[in-house]
Every structure is written in C-alpha cells, then in structure tokens.
Amino acid sequence: RLGRVLDLAVAPDGSRVAVASHDGRVLLVERDSGEVREIARSENGDAGGLVFSPDSGWLAWSHPGPGSLSQLKIANTADLSVADATPLRFNDFSPAFTLDGKHLAFLSERSFDPVYDAHVFDMAFVGACRPHLIPLAATTPSPFGPQRHGRPVGGDKPEHHGGDDGDDQVRPVTRIDLDGLADRIVPFPVEAGHYSTLRAAENGLLWLRHPLRGVLGDTRATPEADGPSTTLERYDLAQLRVEELADSASDFAVSGDGKRVLLSADGKLRVVPSDSKPPSDDEEPGGAVTVDLSRIRQMLDPAAEWRQMYDEAGRLMRDNFWRPDLGGVDWNGVLDRYRPVLERVATHDDLVDLLWEVAGELGTSHAYVTPPGVHEEDTHRQGLLGADISRDDQGRWRIDRVLPPETSDPRARSPLTAPGTGVRAGDVILAVDGRPVDTVTGPGPLLVGAAGKPVELTVAPSGGGDPRHAVVVPVADEEPLRYHAWVADRRAYVHERSGGRLGYLHVPDMVGSGWAQLHRDLRVEVAREGLVVDVRENRGGHTSQLVVEKLARRIVGWDLPRGMQPMSYPLDAPRGPVVAVANEFSGSDGDIVNAAIKALGIGPVVGTRTWGGVVGIDSRYGLVDGTGVTQPKYAFWLEGYGWGVENHGVDPDVEVVHAPQDWAADRDPQLDEAIRIALEALDGTPAKAPPVLP
C-alpha cells in the first residue's frame, strides 16, 4: 500500500508518519490504527522534503511540477486539506518549520543573475539558490524587518525562538493564514549560491553551502588536489547573522530539541552544538563528541543477503520500468523461473551474472548491473610514459612517437614533453632509475607503481652522443592523451584532404566531457566553409539537445567591425554543409543526436547503424552492498522513427562499413566519404560569406 518509500517523516507527537512514495503519492500513516490516507499525488515525479510543524498539525513538502520546477505544499493533518505555500514558478525545496512554529523556511532557485560564459557567447545562472522564509500568520513580522518593540540587546535570545528542556514541554501552536501566504515570502539576507539540506535548529536554521564546481573538476589546482569543500552554515535568527559551523561537511541531522547536530564529514560522525563552531580537537571542551564507528559490529549471511538483493532488484524493476506492464513480460514468472539458480549462487560474481540474465528478459537497453568498485592503492598503479615504444633489431627499446599534451585538459599530461626532459622520438630508453631495461620485457616492469612519481630515465639520443638523464613523472592512464592525439590526427586529415575548407569536431559523449571537447575547437572549426561532426564511439549522456542547438544555427547576418574580421550572426554557426559520422558504438544520446540531425535537416549521416538504445535511466538506486542496478524508465519517441530507435538504432543516410582491413591499414573510409559529400555539397552551394561594405 505504501509503494517504495523514498522519504519519511515522523510527527513530533508520534501520532503519525508521512511517506513519499515512488509513484508520486504523499501519504499519512496513523501509528495506532495503521490507516493509510492519501494527501496528494503528483504526475511529475517524486515528492520530497517531508516535514511536520512542531505541533504536528501541519505537513509541508516539496511537490514536483513539470521539468525542474517544484513548489511547496502544506496540508492540515486533521482534515487533509492541501494548499499551495509557494506558486509553481521556480524550484522550491527542503522546507523546514522553525522550532517556534511561526515560520516556514525553504530553499528556492529563484535568483536570476546571469553570468557570461568565458568561452562562447552564452549566459548561465550558476548560483540561483537562496534560503527563504514565510511568516505563517499574517500578523507575524519578518524577522529581517523592523520589530514593533525593537530587538533585545546584549545578545539575548528571543523567547519564541527556542524550546525548554524536558519531555513535558508545551509545543508551540502553528497558526497559518493561507490568504496571501505566498506574498509573505522573504529571502534571507545571504548571498545566492548553491545550497541544500535546510533544517531548523534552536534559535536558527542550518544549511549546507556548496562551492561552485565544474562537472569535470578541471578547475582544481591540480588533478590530484582536493577541491573546495561544502560548509555547514547557521543563520542566527536572534542576531540576524550567518556563521560557519563546519568548514567541511557532507551531511547532517538535527536532534529533536534542536540543540545538537550529527555531522558527517571526512568519513567521520560527530555530535556538535547547533549554535557554535566546535573545537577542532576532540579532546577540547565544547560539547563536540566523535562517534566511534569502529564499535559497529556487522554479521552478514551472504546467501541471505543475495536473496534479498535479488528480490529488491525485482521490485525496483517492477516499480520503475518504462511500461507498467513490463512490455507484456510476466515479471513475477521471470523472477520465479530464475530463483532456483539463486540457490546455487556461490559468489558475488555469480549473483551479478544472474541479475544480468534476469534483466535481459525485458529486452530493453540500459538495464545494467554494476558491482561495487574495488579501491586500488596508488602505490601499485602502473606508470605509463605517454609514448609508443618498440624493440629494434638490437633488442633496444626505442621511442617511436611521443604523444603531444593537450594543455586544456589537465588529464592529458604528456610525461616526455614536460619542460627539461628533452626526450624525443628515436631516442632509446636504456635504464629506469638506474636499472637497465630488459631486452625482452622492456621498461614496463620497471615502471610498476611509478604513476605520479618522479623516475629517472637514462636515454640514448637518436642523433648519437652520450646518454642523458631525464626526470619524468609517468601517468596512470594514457587514454586522455591518446584520445586527444586521435582527434588531432583526424582533424589534420580532414584539413589536408579538403584543402583547409572543412572543419572537424569530435563529440565523445553527451555529458560534461563531451561538451568541453566540442567547444575546444568549435570557434575555429565552424568558421571554415563546411563541417564534419564525428559522433562515432559516442558514449551517450544527456546533452544532445545542446549539441544540436549549436549545429542547427543558420547564419542570417554579419557583423563587420572596422579593422577586424567579420563575425557571423548568430555566432558559432556553420557556414556551409554539415555532415555527421556515426557507427555502431554511437549509443544512447549518441543515437538520439543522429536522429535529431536527420529530423532537423542539418545534414546527412554517414557510417553504420547506431547502437539502438534510447530508453533512459537515472541511476538512482543501489542494492544493500553497493551493487548498482538501473531500471529503463525514460522511453524516447523520435520524429521519423517513432519508438523504433530502441533495439534498432538510427540508419545512416550513406552506409559505409569500417572493415577490419581498414583498421589494419589505418584507413578511415567513413571519414573519407563524409569529406567527399561535404565538398560535393560545397560545389553546389557555396558557403555563406560576409558581404562587402556598402
């Protein structure tokens, strides 16, 4: 009757429990009778942030709307009447009644202060959130405004902002005047930014303030450096000021009396005062206590745990699969049919294999089972030199190619091109840290555990002369280096074959890394006469509509400033034909981008039929031991294909198969055909060019 419980709150008087279910329902469960009453229902996602007023008479929550919108709703727990506390215009979330019952605080993304993008002509609202407060009674003044009797002096706490110790205290009564409730919203006098987890405490409110971070972490000082941390802040409603309680926090909870905070930070749990910053040393006085997590004792029965995980994975799929009827599959029958195999499972790997097989019965993409990762100590990571090396006929290991660095990507550091190394193609690696390189195994075994650590290479220069010594810092992963080198090679090839008329862009995925890669060379490449957009090997994501917006731009004007090159209007718009290249590893959002390119008439798609998986996921659930399981939930319909991209893919306009012999000979027939088509289109319709001055 409850469905899957996603959020839960207990009334302060213990009489009832509020539940937010997976199907959008908000429910009240009576403690004594067990009666379940439905308060509200959403068709736009999950409700959250359930919170009772101190007198248990009211329930507030964040009710989802379309897209990313949400509003606050409040319900009278006696008659179940529901009212809007905020309008459905913004994203309002994390409500909290102050402990005196007079105000409802919440977080809201309603600050519209755009910031110019540094790389492209765009604007973004990067810090839109701020805490807000609603005086619930029409006669209750804003705590931030003038008070009729003035404010107490000497730092005294106003009586109505706290509670007395003891279980026999009288809880304050919450009175709400619904008329004009949303008009009484006032913002906290704090800077807008990124906030979460607002909670009421004694004489104030607590929240987490998050620093501005990029999705890739490339703005950190170094790839290994810790980025800025999330802080726990407190707003004192008596002193009307904000103060930092902890400079590093990941989560927190407030005790029932509002006087203490259970703080989670840096893998530790501490109980600290809610009204002052605790000392850093646990031994110092001040009321801070570290919870000794080593006292936890946990007895596991693996077979019982695996049975529970099997059933849980089945329930998650049942409750979230994109079709309520699971595509006509008898899901209970499937679970029963495989359950005898469950009794023979002997390892966690066996269980993962079994869950894959069970999910596969649904025949839908994105049904993944991901075992929890195993941490690998840095001391054991293989060091790599960022180079192609081979053994010559004398048994010496020669450097054939040094991969160039990509200075805009901190992960694409090339060890052998670092200042002072002077190592070049043709040089021979004689020794690593003074140990001779074996003629059979090469330098690899001598670089075990060397990733991120300085090592000394003894190198014989290709032009002859005495051996020289170079200190280099190997990398643990060459993929970023090799990827950027691959893109640079393809771009140079397109430029050469087209006589510089065509630009080239590769989009490796549809998440932050792909968005970054698209813009590394967008301004230069899009200014050429035509454009080849390579989405082969695209790993998917969710940004295809942003990519398509760029490619679909059409030049309708020109800006001709004196003494400068003309600029197209709009900026970064293709000047001529656009040709896309796709293959069987263009998947998920990589499927969708090709379907969109065809539907919008941006240009032809060359290559092979794409992967064929467009029922999306949100990856929100995990099993008890950290194993991740996904449920295909977001079905996708596309113009020209309907529902047909799933399990089929997007057919190219011009099919070109990349055969094994092409790989062996380092040929790229798909790219060759894209170049031919683009140049042929230019012959028929020249690229747009700026006019001469009148």
Side-chain angles (χ1 to χ4, degrees):
R1 290 186 297 163
L2 296 180
R4 182 171 186 82
V5 176
L6 301 180
D7 195 10
L8 180 148
V10 181
D13 64 6
S15 62
R16 53 182 60 93
V17 177
V19 168
S21 185
H22 78 280
D23 53 12
R25 291 180 296 158
V26 179
L27 309 170
L28 272 185
V29 182
E30 299 299 321
R31 181 191 65 184
D32 295 334
S33 66
E35 179 187 5
V36 178
R37 297 183 292 168
E38 182 176 315
I39 299 179
R41 182 186 293 260
S42 167
E43 296 182 352
N44 290 299
D46 312 322
L50 303 172
V51 61
F52 282 95
S53 61
D55 64 355
S56 304
W58 297 87
L59 175 72
W61 70 93
S62 180
H63 197 83
S68 60
L69 301 180
S70 61
Q71 65 181 138
L72 297 191
K73 288 183 178 289
I74 54 174
N76 188 308
T77 58
D79 60 16
L80 301 191
S81 59
V82 177
D84 294 343
T86 65
L88 184 59
R89 294 182 61 203
F90 313 108
N91 180 25
D92 300 334
F93 61 103
S94 198
F97 288 94
T98 54
L99 296 190
D100 59 9
K102 293 186 176 184
H103 304 91
L104 179 64
F106 63 100
L107 298 174
S108 180
E109 294 173 345
R110 59 177 70 194
S111 176
F112 291 86
D113 189 5
V115 176
Y116 276 101
D117 190 287
H119 293 296
V120 294
F121 183 61
D122 203 350
M123 303 179 81
F125 303 104
V126 296
C129 189
R130 182 184 275 123
H132 291 72
L133 194 75
I134 309 177
L136 296 175
T139 57
T140 300
S142 164
F144 315 124
Q147 307 295 312
R148 179 184 175 192
H149 299 292
R151 298 187 180 279
V153 297
D156 296 336
K157 308 287 187 182
E159 182 179 342
H160 63 270
H161 282 308
D164 298 324
D165 290 331
D167 296 333
D168 57 348
Q169 68 182 69
V170 177
R171 298 184 184 276
V173 176
T174 297
R175 182 170 68 88
I176 301 180
D177 294 322
L178 297 177
D179 188 27
L181 186 62
D183 296 333
R184 300 195 291 272
I185 296 174
V186 291
F188 278 73
V190 299
E191 185 178 5
H194 294 263
Y195 295 91
S196 71
T197 322
L198 186 146
R199 300 286 185 265
E202 186 179 42
N203 298 309
L205 291 150
L206 309 178
W207 55 65
L208 294 177
R209 183 184 180 97
H210 306 279
L212 180 63
R213 296 189 183 100
V215 296
L216 303 179
D218 288 355
T219 53
R220 292 177 297 189
T222 66
E224 298 79 20
D226 293 330
S229 59
T230 294
T231 58
L232 174 63
E233 294 183 341
R234 174 180 184 269
Y235 191 88
D236 191 314
L237 287 172
Q239 302 295 327
L240 298 185
R241 66 185 182 190
V242 65
E243 54 189 344
E244 183 182 287
L245 292 189
D247 57 11
S248 178
S250 56
D251 200 1
F252 73 96
V254 182
S255 63
D257 60 6
K259 295 182 178 182
R260 299 168 186 83
V261 172
L262 179 63
L263 176 64
S264 173
D266 303 321
K268 298 179 181 179
L269 286 180
R270 301 180 74 199
V271 180
V272 300
S274 67
D275 60 354
S276 61
K277 188 170 185 175
S280 57
D281 189 346
D282 297 343
E283 300 301 322
E284 294 182 12
V289 177
T290 299
V291 180
D292 184 5
L293 297 179
S294 67
R295 296 170 57 207
I296 294 175
R297 297 293 183 268
Q298 192 174 30
M299 297 296 293
L300 292 181
D301 179 349
E305 184 175 76
W306 296 336
R307 288 192 294 270
Q308 188 277 337
M309 293 168 63
Y310 181 88
D311 291 337
E312 180 78 350
R315 285 191 293 269
L316 286 168
M317 191 68 78
R318 176 199 66 193
D319 292 344
N320 292 279
F321 192 74
W322 66 282
R323 289 184 59 99
D325 65 354
L326 286 94
V329 173
D330 178 6
W331 187 237
N332 288 330
V334 168
L335 294 172
D336 290 342
R337 180 153 51 90
Y338 279 91
R339 192 165 276 110
V341 182
L342 178 65
E343 301 304 320
R344 301 179 63 90
V345 165
T347 68
H348 188 271
D349 286 345
D350 290 347
L351 176 69
V352 170
D353 288 344
L354 175 60
L355 293 177
W356 273 108
E357 293 295 326
V358 173
E361 293 287 341
L362 294 168
T364 304
S365 64
H366 293 85
Y368 301 139
V369 183
T370 309
V374 178
H375 176 69
E376 180 181 351
E377 293 185 19
D378 292 346
T379 55
H380 296 153
R381 297 169 76 189
Q382 174 70 43
L384 303 170
L385 297 176
D388 296 333
I389 61 175
S390 63
R391 187 174 60 178
D392 62 17
D393 52 8
Q394 301 177 41
R396 301 187 308 171
W397 287 84
R398 188 179 302 276
I399 298 172
D400 300 320
R401 182 193 186 193
V402 176
L403 296 173
E406 172 51 61
T407 56
S408 67
D409 184 351
R411 298 173 182 83
R413 176 179 62 82
S414 183
L416 300 185
T417 64
T421 57
V423 180
R424 293 174 173 81
D427 293 352
V428 173
I429 304 175
L430 301 177
V432 177
D433 285 336
R435 292 176 293 173
V437 172
D438 187 272
T439 58
V440 176
T441 60
L446 302 178
L447 294 169
V448 172
K453 302 171 184 176
V455 299
E456 184 185 73
L457 300 182
T458 303
V459 176
S462 58
D466 296 333
R468 56 184 304 273
H469 303 280
V471 177
V472 302
V473 181
V475 296
D477 183 10
E478 284 183 345
E479 182 180 348
L481 268 176
R482 295 193 176 276
Y483 168 72
H484 287 293
W486 182 87
V487 172
D489 290 346
R490 298 291 176 286
R491 178 170 293 121
Y493 182 77
V494 171
H495 291 174
E496 180 185 0
R497 289 290 302 271
S498 68
R501 302 177 70 189
L502 300 180
Y504 173 86
L505 296 170
H506 184 262
V507 188
D509 53 56
M510 296 299 177
V511 292
S513 50
W515 189 242
Q517 178 62 24
L518 173 69
H519 286 88
R520 278 192 171 92
D521 296 283
L522 176 67
R523 286 167 291 185
V524 174
E525 297 303 302
V526 81
R528 298 178 187 269
E529 295 179 61
L531 186 64
V532 175
V533 180
D534 194 343
V535 291
R536 292 177 294 182
E537 318 293 327
N538 188 286
R539 301 171 181 176
H542 58 273
T543 61
S544 64
Q545 55 187 300
L546 301 178
V547 174
V548 169
E549 284 180 10
K550 297 278 187 178
L551 301 179
R553 291 181 176 181
R554 290 294 177 259
I555 295 174
V556 297
W558 293 90
D559 185 5
L560 286 79
R562 180 175 173 176
M564 298 171 60
Q565 290 291 322
M567 295 177 288
S568 68
Y569 179 88
L571 291 170
D572 298 335
R575 301 190 179 190
V578 176
V579 180
V581 189
N583 65 3
E584 63 272 26
F585 299 112
S586 306
S588 192
D589 215 25
D591 287 300
I592 293 171
V593 73
N594 287 284
I597 287 171
K598 296 180 66 173
L600 293 171
I602 294 173
V605 176
V606 175
T608 53
R609 180 159 54 97
T610 62
W611 181 57
V614 293
V615 180
I617 54 177
D618 47 27
S619 303
R620 66 184 302 183
Y621 296 117
L623 302 180
V624 65
D625 70 346
T627 299
V629 288
T630 61
Q631 302 78 41
K633 179 179 180 180
Y634 301 91
F636 220 89
W637 182 96
L638 287 158
E639 182 177 311
Y641 286 90
W643 305 105
V645 175
E646 177 71 17
N647 281 327
H648 178 80
V650 175
D651 295 297
D653 296 292
V654 180
E655 184 177 34
V656 178
V657 176
H658 202 142
Q661 55 267 35
D662 295 322
W663 289 105
D666 197 23
R667 294 190 298 262
D668 195 336
Q670 295 172 335
L671 197 56
D672 288 340
E673 181 65 10
I675 294 170
R676 186 195 67 78
I677 292 174
L679 292 176
E680 185 179 84
L682 278 175
D683 291 339
T685 306
K688 291 191 175 184
V692 297
L693 288 174

